[in-house]
Amino acid sequence: MKNSILFKSLVVLTVFTAFVACQQEKKKVINFPTTDLTAENFVPKPLKIIPTNSAFGLDKNTIIYTSQNATGFPEVGEFLSEKIKWQTDLDLAVNSSTNTSAERIIFINQSDSTAFSSKEGYDLHITQDSIILNAKTAEGAFRGVQTIRQIIPETSNDTLSENKMWLIPTGKIIDNPNFEYRGSMLDVARHFFSVEDVKKYIDILAYYKINILHLHLADDQGWRIEIKSWPKLTEIGGSSEVGGGPGGFYTQEEYKDIVAYAAKHYITIVPEIDMPGHTNAASVSYPILNGNGKTPKIYTGTEVGFSTFDTRKDTVYAFIDDVVREITAITPGPYFHAGGDESHVTKKKDFVHFVSKVDKIVKKYGKKMIGWDEIVHADIDTSAIAQFWANEENAKLAVEKGLKIILSPGKKAYLDMQYDTLSKYGLHWAGYIPVDTGYIWTPERYVKGINKENILGVEAPLWSETISNMEELEYLAFPRMIGYSELSWSVEENRNWENYKVRLGNQAPYLDKMNVKYYPSELIDWKKSKYTYKTIDKD
């Protein structure tokens, strides 16, 4: 096997070296127009862009090569080829040793350069003849591929040669994420969303370099993941949702399919089982778990805070152990989210006792516990992570205890907040969040006393009380989620609303081609595209 891999790598290297030498001997037969790489509509904006004011002509005579003995690199090359075909209808060969007609090359190269400070860092060198993408890991290469996708024009310019060409500006891009954790949360508990819906959301998130999808899998209104040792959770708890709809759940095979699809896009799934509050669906399935002194009934409303587990019962912790064991066994990522918010009927001493025990169970199965900011009042390990959503004092206490913070402030980052008073969907308990309000804030300095080194990253939650299908989801998530991608990837000095809103408006062709029913904010001058999908109107 090793000899086979080595042989293939030598073939690719030989072909690539010969190609470069051949191109150096050729005289340029096409005078490309002047282009400016800095004027491209990157979102999120890269760390550094150096233009050289010419163009690479992507056409049918372009080939893709990758480092073949590097884990994941050939697959990243295939992904790029697939997306180029989707964008342009060009069918580019990957790692072919027989293509002798190639005139230009895209080379995805594994580099051991010490210049890459994280596994997601990459650089791009674009000339008239080649695009060379360097990265230390396949994950970094995958992020770089999204940048390449964003600079392929919507339409070709076929006036320069006999072949249609998509002209890509030349220059160099050096890029690296500002935050390690860049996420969105999708609430599939209040309303259930299918595997295909989740996959479409993953497709869009990956394009904007998001690397975390947090799935809120259980709440008062529904339990959405199969637990084989407790089958009534889905038989009973999975049968309802807000408004009395049919509910639904993921079998473990379906959940593994989502996890695998996310992994292909270098997105980590973070599963959440919210507890000890938000647990009515579990308690109605198994009343022995209930701790609020009332007979559990299926719940389809939206009020919160009335449910709790019995925090002093051994059966409850045996149940949690089983749930965490089964979910973590099919979740390769490092995190398990245990909720912890709005446990209004749980006595404080019981809440503290409960969270401390759950933290130990999560650690037992090799994961780091994430919880909403209320968890900081418990005795938990410093490996735990507090997700700040409402209480700044909780966030500060987390830092004092040595915990990392995920920033999800309701007033800035909640995707389920209405854009304005005319929005069709969403709530406004935290206020209205128009597109500019969602973008114009500084995570690094949002909470006084919490600095960048205390922050793991940014996550934008999308709660689903008011939405029940993909079009409604897209209306609330986009375009705001695109802004959160920039807030979490790009450094502060590269974030500017006036510049960003122009780049955002120019995302319309991609969103239209993906048939995303985004909210057409009047703050943005949306670029007209050749696609005719209609967005959900504001009125």
Side-chain angles (χ1 to χ4, degrees):
M1 175 63 75
K2 287 183 178 179
N3 289 337
S4 174
I5 292 173
L6 179 61
F7 174 74
K8 289 180 180 179
S9 299
L10 288 173
V11 168
V12 170
L13 181 61
T14 301
V15 172
F16 176 65
T17 303
F19 172 85
V20 172
C22 178
Q23 292 304 313
Q24 288 175 344
E25 291 177 4
K26 286 183 180 179
K27 299 293 183 182
K28 300 293 185 295
V29 295
I30 300 174
N31 292 317
F32 288 114
T34 299
T35 59
D36 183 1
L37 190 60
T38 63
E40 290 297 302
N41 297 295
F42 301 108
V43 180
K45 193 169 187 178
L47 183 63
K48 191 173 184 180
I49 307 169
I50 305 166
T52 54
N53 303 316
S54 186
F56 172 93
L58 179 70
D59 70 356
K60 67 178 184 180
N61 294 320
T62 304
I63 52 175
I64 298 172
Y65 283 114
T66 75
S67 296
Q68 283 201 306
N69 60 342
T71 302
F73 277 72
E75 290 80 3
V76 171
E78 293 289 351
F79 179 89
L80 177 59
S81 177
E82 173 190 322
K83 295 305 179 182
I84 287 175
K85 183 174 178 60
W86 177 76
Q87 286 179 251
T88 66
D89 209 33
L90 295 173
D91 195 358
L92 305 188
V94 180
N95 292 327
S96 170
S97 59
T98 59
N99 192 333
T100 58
S101 63
E103 296 175 0
R104 278 161 292 281
I105 190 170
I106 300 172
F107 186 49
I108 304 174
N109 175 54
Q110 184 182 46
S111 171
D112 60 1
S113 171
T114 57
F116 297 115
S117 59
S118 82
K119 64 181 180 179
E120 294 183 277
Y122 68 93
D123 61 47
L124 276 170
H125 300 259
I126 307 169
T127 69
Q128 287 191 355
D129 302 320
S130 64
I131 297 176
I132 301 175
L133 168 58
N134 294 311
K136 185 178 291 186
T137 68
E139 186 171 356
F142 186 82
R143 306 298 175 219
V145 158
Q146 310 316 312
T147 300
I148 293 173
R149 292 176 65 193
Q150 289 190 3
I151 53 178
I152 297 173
E154 181 187 1
T155 56
S156 65
N157 182 337
D158 57 0
T159 62
L160 300 174
S161 70
E162 60 185 23
N163 299 322
K164 285 186 176 181
M165 282 191 171
W166 285 258
L167 299 181
I168 297 173
T170 58
K172 183 176 182 179
I173 294 173
I174 301 168
D175 205 5
N176 199 60
N178 190 35
F179 288 114
E180 171 188 340
Y181 186 111
R182 307 177 307 280
S184 179
M185 187 215 78
L186 178 59
D187 172 14
V188 298
R190 269 52 176 268
H191 281 102
F192 182 66
F193 291 87
S194 70
V195 172
E196 291 308 310
D197 286 342
V198 176
K199 285 182 176 181
K200 182 181 180 183
Y201 197 45
I202 288 169
D203 287 335
I204 306 166
L205 295 179
Y207 186 74
Y208 295 106
K209 300 185 175 69
I210 294 297
N211 69 343
I212 298 288
L213 177 57
H214 165 186
L215 292 177
H216 186 78
L217 292 166
D219 213 296
D220 292 319
Q221 300 86 352
W223 184 284
R224 305 303 181 202
I225 183 158
E226 175 190 22
I227 303 298
K228 294 181 185 296
S229 55
W230 297 76
K232 291 182 181 179
L233 288 170
T234 48
E235 290 173 12
I236 299 174
S239 67
S240 58
E241 61 184 15
V242 167
F249 66 91
Y250 307 118
T251 66
Q252 290 196 6
E253 289 304 311
E254 289 171 328
Y255 177 79
K256 286 191 284 187
D257 184 30
I258 291 172
V259 169
Y261 192 81
K264 179 184 174 184
H265 294 76
Y266 292 89
I267 288 176
T268 298
I269 297 296
V270 175
E272 180 188 359
I273 301 298
D274 202 352
M275 49 189 170
H278 291 275
T279 48
N280 187 76
S283 292
V284 78
S285 303
Y286 291 95
I288 193 173
L289 304 172
N290 191 42
N292 68 2
K294 300 178 181 179
T295 302
K297 297 179 181 178
I298 286 177
Y299 182 67
T300 60
T302 59
E303 296 299 316
V304 300
F306 63 88
S307 60
T308 184
F309 281 152
D310 186 332
T311 64
R312 300 291 173 170
K313 189 177 288 185
D314 290 343
T315 305
V316 168
Y317 296 105
F319 164 79
I320 293 169
D321 192 284
D322 284 339
V323 169
V324 174
R325 172 179 54 81
E326 290 196 31
I327 293 176
T328 57
I330 54 177
T331 306
Y335 307 114
F336 183 94
H337 202 302
D341 62 317
E342 298 177 321
S343 296
H344 299 324
V345 298
T346 315
K347 293 178 181 178
K348 184 172 181 179
K349 64 179 181 178
D350 293 336
F351 177 83
V352 167
H353 173 77
F354 178 86
V355 172
S356 299
K357 287 183 74 72
V358 170
D359 182 43
K360 291 179 176 63
I361 293 171
V362 171
K363 282 188 65 183
K364 171 184 172 182
Y365 290 104
K367 304 297 184 184
K368 296 178 182 179
M369 185 182 77
I370 302 175
W372 301 104
D373 59 52
E374 292 94 323
I375 67 166
V376 299
H377 297 285
D379 179 17
I380 53 180
D381 192 84
T382 55
S383 64
I385 299 153
Q387 187 162 0
F388 162 58
W389 70 282
N391 192 312
E392 290 191 6
E393 294 307 311
N394 285 346
K396 292 175 183 178
L397 180 57
V399 170
E400 289 176 16
K401 288 187 169 186
L403 276 62
K404 288 280 191 177
I405 297 290
I406 296 169
L407 291 176
S408 301
K411 295 178 181 179
K412 286 290 187 180
Y414 265 37
L415 290 167
D416 56 302
M417 292 299 104
Q418 292 173 289
Y419 291 92
D420 52 38
T421 58
L422 299 178
S423 293
K424 286 187 174 182
Y425 309 105
L427 304 169
H428 57 266
W429 60 262
Y432 298 100
I433 305 181
V435 177
D436 56 347
T437 297
Y439 181 86
I440 303 172
W441 60 288
T442 305
E444 297 90 336
R445 293 181 281 109
Y446 185 72
V447 179
K448 187 177 181 180
I450 296 181
N451 302 315
K452 186 173 184 294
E453 59 267 24
N454 308 127
I455 302 168
L456 184 63
V458 177
E459 180 181 291
L462 178 50
W463 304 98
S464 65
E465 288 97 331
T466 68
I467 58 172
S468 59
N469 60 53
M470 196 61 185
E471 288 189 9
E472 294 164 1
L473 183 161
E474 291 165 354
Y475 176 94
L476 287 178
F478 301 106
R480 288 180 295 193
M481 191 61 226
I482 301 170
Y484 299 126
S485 80
E486 180 149 301
L487 286 175
S488 55
W489 178 279
S490 304
V491 294
E492 183 179 352
E493 53 265 36
N494 281 346
R495 304 193 302 254
N496 175 276
W497 166 251
E498 293 301 324
N499 178 266
Y500 168 73
K501 71 178 183 180
V502 175
R503 289 179 285 120
L504 176 60
N506 287 318
Q507 300 304 304
Y510 170 75
L511 296 172
D512 290 344
K513 187 170 172 60
M514 285 293 291
N515 194 18
V516 174
K517 303 299 193 296
Y518 61 91
Y519 173 77
S521 169
E522 294 179 356
L523 297 171
I524 307 300
D525 183 12
W526 297 101
K527 179 181 178 181
K528 292 182 179 180
S529 71
K530 63 183 181 181
Y531 308 106
T532 57
Y533 302 118
K534 182 174 173 55
T535 60
I536 297 176
D537 291 333
K538 172 177 155 178
D539 298 323

